[in-house]
Amino acid sequence: MPTFKNPIISGCYADPSICRVGEDYYLITSTFEYFPGVPIFHSKDLVHWRQIGHVLDRPSQLNLDGTPNSKGIYAATIRYYNGLFYMITTFVESVTGARRNFFVTAENPEGPWSDPYWLDDCPGIDSSLFFDDDGKVYVTANRRPPSGQQYPKHMEIWMQELDLETKQLVGEKYSLWDGALKYIHAQEAPHLYKVNGMYYLIIAEGGTGFTHSVTIARSESITGPYEGAKTNPILTHRHLGGNYPIVNIGHADIVETQNGEWWMVCLGSRPYGGDFCNLGRESFLVPFVWENGWPVVNPGKGIVEMEGIRPNLEKKRWPSEPVCDHFDSETLGFQWNFIRTPRGEFWSLTERPGYLRLYAKRETITDVVNPSFIGRRQQHIDFSVRTKMDFRPENKDEAAGLVLLQNQNFQYRLEYVEANIQLVKRVDGIEEVLSSIPYEGEQVYYKVEAYGQSYNFYFADHAEEWQIVYEHADGRILSTEVAGGFVGTYIGMYATSNGSTSENYADFDYFEYVGLN
C-alpha cells in the first residue's frame, strides 16, 4: 500500500485547521508574534501541501506592536460556507491582557481577506465557527466556568450564535462541556461538527505539552447536553513515553474526503537530542473511522505514526520550492516572516535589484519590538544555511548577520560588528561572546550547519573558503523546553544600530536553506 510521511507540514506550524471545498483542501496554522499572520496551504491529496499566501498580510489586519513572544495570533479555524471562506482566531494581547476574537472573510483562499470583524463579549481562546444545516452560524471558544473553577486551569467550552449581517454574537451563551478528563486541565480548541444527524464536539485537553490529548462529546441537540465518549481520550501520546518520536499530540480538526474517508490533522512535536523540540509544534495527519457513532483514530494502533497508509486520493505533487532565494523578485516569498508588524521602510528588494537590503534600525533583536529582521522557520533536525552579505560597520553600535532565534532572550547571533566576526550566545537575557575573529572586509559569507543539537558556525571572505567561528554550539537553548513559549526556531537575517541613529544597511545576495535529513 502506498504510504505518506509525517509531519505533513514541518517546522513551527501549530494548531492546524482544515476544510474541504470540492476536491481542494485548505489548511491554516497559528503564527503568534510573527507577521504576516496565519499561513494558508492548499492540497489535493492531504499529503502534499503548498503555501498560497497568508490570511493576515496587512498591518490594517494585524497590529502586533508590543506583543510578547508566544502571544499574538492563536489557533485559527478555517471554514467555507455559501461561497465565502471564513477564518476566525484569537488575538492574545499580552501575558495578562485581553484575549480578543475576530474573523475575516475572502472569496478566494489566496486573498485578499477582509479587515477583522471584532466580536464583542467573546471570551477565551481558540475560537471556532460552525455552520448548521438550518443556516444558523455559531461561535465556540473556551472560558472559565460561570460557576467557578474547580481546579487550576479548569475551563469549559461555550457557544453562541453569530449574526452574519451584523457580524456580532446574538442570543444566549450556552455552556457545552468542560471535558472528559477531570482535573487534567486546559479544555480548549473546540470544533463542532454534524455527522449523521448528531452534533460532535472535539476539543483539546491537558495543555499543549506532554499530556496533550484529543477528546470528544456528542449530542442530539446543538445546545446539549453533551455526552463524552467512553473511549476518551480518542488520541494522545502521553502514554507512549519520552522515547516515542512524536510527542505533544493534540489540538485536532477533521475532514471527510470526497471519497468518504475521514482524516484528522493535529499538532505534535519531534524531540531530538533529549526532550528538546527546536522545531516547535508541527502539523500531522492521521486517519480515523466511525464505529458505533464514535471516531476510532488509526484503528488497531490509536496513535500518530511517522509513516502511514496514504489517503485514497490521487497523488498531487506541487513543483518543488527552490532551496535558495536569490531575492530576484520584488516581493518576499511566503516562507519569510517579520517579528511583529513591520514598521518603517527598513527593507527593500528594489533599491539594489537581486539583493535584500536591511537597514540598521535602532531596535534590537533582544527587545520586544519590530527589529530589522526577516527570517524563516527551521524545518529539519539537520540543516544547512548559507548567505552572502555586503556590509561594513561604521561604528561600534552597528551589527548585521544571521540569527538563530527562539525569542528575544534565547538566540545565537553570527554577526559582523566593528572589526570582528563574532558568535554571540544569549541565554535567559545574558550574553556571551563564544568567538571573535578580526575582520575588516566589505563582504562576508556566513554558513550554519546543524546536526541534531550540535550547531556549527562558519564565515568566509571568498565563497566556500570557510573558516570555523565556533563548532558544536549547544542547540538546546533554541528549544521551547529551555526557552519556554509555543514557537519553534527561526533563522534569519538582521541589522541593527543598537539604539543609535544610522543610515547604514546590509545587502544580502541570497539565502540558502537545505534540509539534510
Side-chain angles (χ1 to χ4, degrees), residues 29-57:
T29 68
S30 298
T31 42
F32 303 98
E33 72 266 34
Y34 287 95
F35 185 98
V38 188
I40 182 165
F41 298 86
H42 175 220
S43 178
K44 288 282 192 178
D45 61 8
L46 291 176
V47 172
H48 300 97
W49 295 87
R50 66 169 177 175
Q51 190 173 349
I52 58 175
H54 289 88
V55 175
L56 306 174
D57 60 2

Side-chain angles (χ1 to χ4, degrees), residues 339-392:
I339 304 173
R340 303 177 185 88
T341 306
R343 302 299 185 189
E345 297 180 358
F346 64 87
W347 66 279
S348 174
L349 289 166
T350 58
E351 291 183 13
R352 184 182 180 186
Y355 288 77
L356 170 65
R357 175 163 293 179
L358 288 180
Y359 282 89
K361 290 179 72 175
R362 296 171 61 93
E363 290 81 0
T364 73
I365 206 160
T366 59
D367 290 317
V368 181
V369 293
N370 167 234
S372 183
F373 166 90
I374 294 177
R376 54 156 297 152
R377 294 162 175 85
Q378 178 184 336
Q379 294 186 277
H380 300 80
I381 294 172
D382 304 330
F383 68 89
S384 174
V385 163
R386 284 177 170 85
T387 190
K388 176 192 172 187
M389 180 184 76
D390 290 354
F391 173 70
R392 181 185 284 275

Side-chain angles (χ1 to χ4, degrees), residues 103 117-120 161-164 166-170:
F103 71 95
Y117 301 107
W118 294 95
L119 298 173
D120 297 333
E161 187 178 349
L162 173 65
D163 186 330
L164 292 182
T166 65
K167 309 293 193 297
Q168 289 298 320
L169 299 174
V170 295

